[in-house]
Amino acid sequence: MRLCVFCGSSAGQDPVYLETARLLGETLARNGIELVYGGASVGLMGAVADAVLANGGRVIGVMPQALADKEIAHASLSDLRVVGSMHERKAMMAELSDGFIALPGGLGTFEELFEVWTWAQLGYHKKPCALLNVAGFYDKLADFLDDVVERGFVKPIHRAMLIVQDEPAALIDAIRAYEPPRVDKWIKAGER
């Protein structure tokens, strides 16, 4: 199994983010799960990759040439794939992965997660999408998403597709147990 982890190239202000990124990396390696991620050596990205590698795991990084040129590419990965653009990066990461996890991060993390979750909603893949809710980082987002459901813009079945767990081991268990919903048609006649 390979899981893609989206996360910050920053470590954030609370040390718990870095600690949990390392714990996730250890958990992936202990469970024989390969890591696919953005290829950086810095922030939470570097921490999760370092932890997988330190625990005997395999890590595939995918990075656009422009970022590799800035010398932030991780030098010790099992496999570093340099691509031409962010679009190519996301497509390759999705292709290589059996599921997706978002750790704390910024705009890029959010965009990557929402894109693969949207693809799942549309039926382009049946892979699990998940949030590792470190120290309540995603609490407000989860509340917002629940409100969006109540307002009729997201169906409950699609909201339920996003796994949310607070601990890496529980998250891995939930990902392994994930069953994609069967939705024949996501927009019904008269809902246009």
Side-chain angles (χ1 to χ4, degrees):
M1 175 182 258
R2 285 185 186 150
L3 292 177
C4 180
V5 174
F6 305 127
C7 57
S9 57
S10 167
Q13 295 179 337
D14 190 332
V16 72
Y17 304 138
L18 209 52
E19 293 166 19
T20 306
R22 290 181 184 126
L23 180 58
L24 176 61
E26 292 167 12
T27 304
L28 293 173
R30 277 197 319 267
N31 283 277
I33 299 170
E34 293 183 13
L35 170 66
V36 175
Y37 85 118
S41 60
V42 296
L44 299 186
M45 293 174 76
V48 70
D50 287 343
V52 171
L53 293 167
N55 287 275
R58 181 169 160 75
V59 180
I60 301 170
V62 183
M63 180 174 280
Q65 185 67 58
L67 293 179
D69 290 344
K70 293 182 180 185
E71 299 182 355
I72 62 166
H74 199 297
S76 302
L77 301 181
S78 311
D79 185 356
L80 176 64
R81 301 184 188 194
V82 179
V83 296
S85 70
M86 291 296 280
H87 293 292
E88 290 175 59
R89 176 197 220 180
K90 292 186 297 182
M92 182 175 285
M93 288 167 67
E95 181 181 320
L96 292 170
S97 302
D98 299 308
F100 309 92
I101 298 171
L103 278 167
L107 298 176
T109 300
F110 307 146
E111 186 268 338
E112 290 165 332
L113 173 72
F114 276 91
E115 184 168 54
V116 295
W117 186 19
T118 300
W119 294 346
Q121 174 198 11
L122 295 172
Y124 294 168
H125 69 76
K126 297 184 181 302
K127 302 172 185 181
C129 300
L131 296 174
L132 184 51
N133 191 22
V134 181
F137 184 84
Y138 285 113
D139 285 351
K140 290 179 182 178
L141 176 61
D143 290 345
F144 171 72
L145 293 170
D146 292 340
D147 187 56
V148 172
V149 170
E150 287 181 28
R151 293 172 187 262
F153 287 97
V154 172
K155 295 188 180 308
I157 195 168
H158 296 136
R159 169 64 180 91
M161 292 170 76
L162 184 64
I163 299 165
V164 182
Q165 290 288 334
D166 297 338
E167 299 295 330
L171 184 66
I172 298 303
D173 289 344
I175 286 171
R176 284 195 164 136
Y178 177 75
E179 295 279 339
R182 182 170 153 75
V183 181
D184 293 327
K185 190 170 181 182
W186 68 281
I187 296 179
K188 295 178 184 164
E191 289 185 334
R192 294 178 232 175

